[in-house]
Structure formats: C-alpha cells, structure tokens
Amino acid sequence: MTPQPPGPSTLRFGANYVPSSGWFYSWLDFSADAARRDFADLAEIGLDHVRVFPIWPWIQPNRTLIRQRGVDDLLTLIDVAAEFDLDVSVDLLQGHLSSFDFLPSWVLTWHQRSLFTDAAVRDGIAEYVDRLTRAVATRANVFAVTLGNEVNNLWPSNATTLEASSQWAAELIEVARTAAPRLLSLYSLYDGTWYDPGHPFAAADNVDLGDLTTVHSWVFNGVSAIDGPLGPATVSHEDYLVELAAATASDPARPVWLQEVGAPRPDIGEDDAPAFVRDMLDAVTRNPALWGVTWWCSHDLDRSLADFPDREYDLGLFTVDHQIKPATRELAAIVRERRSSRPALSSRPALVCDVDLRTEPERRGEVAPGSPFHSEWVRLRQAGPLAIVGADRAADSEYLTARGIDTVLTTA
C-alpha cells in the first residue's frame, strides 16, 4: 500500500537539519546532546519535522561494507528528534551538500565508474538503500526517505543520459518502497531538471517517481537578478516552481513538497529577509498543490570551516550559538498562522504553457526564469493566485476542476 501524504487542509513546516557544531563533519564524532540542543531550537519555533543527511561514504566505505555504527548513530539522531515531537525524513545518498560532493572511494580514483550507469555501483547503492531504509523504518517518527540530496549535482562528474538517469532512479525508488512500504519514497533534484534544455535528468521524473513531488527553489538561479530581493519574480518563484510541477504531473492531485527554500545572501539581504519570508510564504502557501515547506537550513555554518561558497555560511534559522534571527521570527509567526488555518482557495485562473516538459526537454529554457512565459506568469500572478496548465489539458474540464482552475488564459 502506497503511503498517503496529509490532506490538503494540512501544511507541514520543517527544516533541513544542519548541525550547529561541526556541520556534517559532526557525524564523524556524533553527539546526541549536541543534536538535542539543536532540535530544541526548532521545536521552539513550532516546526514539525526535520530532513536529515547521513553521509553515504562514511556508512558504506566499501561496496560490500555497511558500518553498523553509522546506522546506529542515525537511529539515535532520529530518536532524539522524537523527544521534541519532530518527524523525520531521511536522505540516503549524500552525495551533494553545500557545494561539496561526498562519494565513496569505490566509485573514485582508478575505479572511476558512474553512479548512474555502472551495474556494480548500482548494486552497491541498492544494498545501501535497502539496509538504511529498513533500519530507519523501525522508528515511528520517520515518515519518508529521499533517494538523495539533488543527485543531479553529481553529474557531469558521473556520466549519464536522460534514459539512464530515469532507470537508475526508478530502480532505487522501488528498492526503498519494497524495504519500507509505510514510508514515502521520494526523489530529489535541483531545478536544472525544469530549466536547462541539455540537463540529463527529466522533469517528468520529478513528478512520476516517488510518492509525491519535491522541488528545491533558490533565487540565486537568476530570479533575483530580474527584480531584486522583494520583487514579484523573486517572491513568487517558489509558487512558480510548485505550479510547474503540478502542471507537469499526470495526477492532478499529486502533492508538491517545497523541500528546500532559503534566503541566500547577497540575493536576499539581511534586512530584506523577514519581508522575503513573509511575501514568499504568503504566495506559495496559497497553492493547493503544496504539501509542506522545509527551510534550508536549521543552523548557520561556522566560518572557521573553509572553502564553502560565502552564501552557505548564513542560511540558518539560528546562528551557530543558537541565536534566533529576525527572518526566523517571521517564519515562526507564519507557521502559527498557516498550520491552523491554511488559506482557502476555491478557484483560480491558469496560464496555458505550450511547452510539454514531459516530452520536450529540449524546450525547458522556454519556461526558465526571465523567459517570456515566466515573465507573463509573474505579471499576471501579481493579481492573485495563478495556476499553470499544459496546452493538452486546457480544454479538459474534469482536469481543470480537479486542480481548482476556473478560467484559462493564453499568452499574447
């Protein structure tokens, strides 16, 4: 039985967990007490879940070795989250985090084989996915596993094609589902799948694979350059990406999880961050397709750690010494408002998109930020919630009703 996400009246709010002490290197000397202090911060502002990131090569340093100590540390972290009534989603293949790639030595150096196309590597990953998923499913507060964090960032260093990427993900999602049928099994990709014509990961895979769709929205992808930190293109980008996903899905009722969103500097200045949080969430939480919002990230990155892109250091809801930020206070206020009474949306217009993202990946640039279609959507969106509908479904009354669309608009 496929697990069902919460109904449309419920919104989830959480954080991607970045340890305040030692970043993800803290897995090398894991401290439950340090995690306990961090989770207390998140519970204090009303969040209900965390997304956590075990580091793949430290748990599976050899293709045929999975370290039980690493698995046990992950289970302890999950148990600590339960102490604060936090549900947990576990990302499996890390993979890519904050500009760094973490890959085991058995796919590097003279082995040099692609994660996506080498059969032996795929078998090793399948064993890891099976073992870790079965382990975390023993904890009642775990609700999902995601195959990995933006696995498409592991290309081009790992060769692949559209077809190979789809097959790889479909096989591993099935491994996770078989291992733990009660959990949501998910697939996570950054927005190159939506906007880059040559990207070898399909937009259709975002909405076909896994039990709900995940999107990651970052305004440093060019959106903030259009109209600044608080302009309509910037504060509506999350809603736009959720809408692209909803319009591309075969199932009109498929939920979309905004699994990563943040206020990155310098695109969003510190003084503008609270208003950005308010305006952005006012827009996206009105979208009936939205399942929940998970902020990147829980805690800042200590500037004593070297070689990260500068924007990575200040993305936390809390500083490394647990000080709350003004933007976090705004998020907490919205959580209180929206969890109990999600904005009602009985109907809305939709803008027709003549790019079929399922079958025409080479046309993805036509919906990218700054494209004529995106610009028209942003212009019309300023009047209120605005859906996107594919040209092939613009006359399908049953589909339009299912998505709450009452009027269909075409571009000039």
Side-chain angles (χ1 to χ4, degrees), residues 53-219:
F53 304 88
I55 305 299
W56 171 30
W58 301 340
I59 297 179
Q60 191 182 26
N62 183 274
R63 185 163 59 87
T64 59
L65 172 64
I66 295 176
R67 295 177 55 251
Q68 187 59 43
R69 173 63 181 273
V71 177
D72 290 343
D73 285 345
L74 173 59
L75 295 177
T76 300
L77 181 73
I78 293 167
D79 292 341
V80 171
E83 295 174 17
F84 296 90
D85 294 323
L86 291 168
D87 290 338
V88 177
S89 175
V90 179
D91 266 42
L92 300 173
L93 294 173
Q94 271 61 251
H96 179 85
L97 289 167
S98 302
S99 83
F100 284 95
D101 291 347
F102 291 85
L103 300 177
S105 57
W106 47 275
V107 301
L108 298 172
T109 61
W110 64 269
H111 301 278
Q112 206 59 52
R113 32 195 189 183
S114 171
L115 274 71
F116 305 111
T117 60
D118 186 275
V121 172
R122 196 161 58 245
D123 289 346
I125 293 173
E127 177 62 27
Y128 170 84
V129 168
D130 178 79
R131 174 88 170 267
L132 212 59
T133 302
R134 289 181 189 277
V136 302
T138 63
R139 289 345 194 226
N141 61 321
V142 173
F143 68 92
V145 292
T146 301
L147 187 54
N149 181 50
E150 299 184 349
V151 295
N152 49 336
N153 263 310
L154 300 175
W155 174 85
S157 59
N158 288 268
T160 192
T161 63
L162 280 166
E163 295 75 16
S165 300
S166 296
Q167 180 182 4
W168 177 86
E171 289 178 0
L172 292 172
I173 286 289
E174 189 56 34
V175 170
R177 277 187 174 143
T178 301
R182 80 164 182 86
L183 300 183
L184 297 169
S185 295
L186 310 175
Y187 189 35
S188 162
L189 301 168
Y190 81 87
D191 63 13
T193 61
W194 297 106
Y195 301 146
D196 183 349
H199 199 66
F201 293 80
D205 289 348
N206 278 342
V207 298
D208 288 347
L209 301 178
D211 297 313
L212 55 76
T213 299
T214 68
V215 293
H216 294 188
S217 177
W218 289 103
V219 298

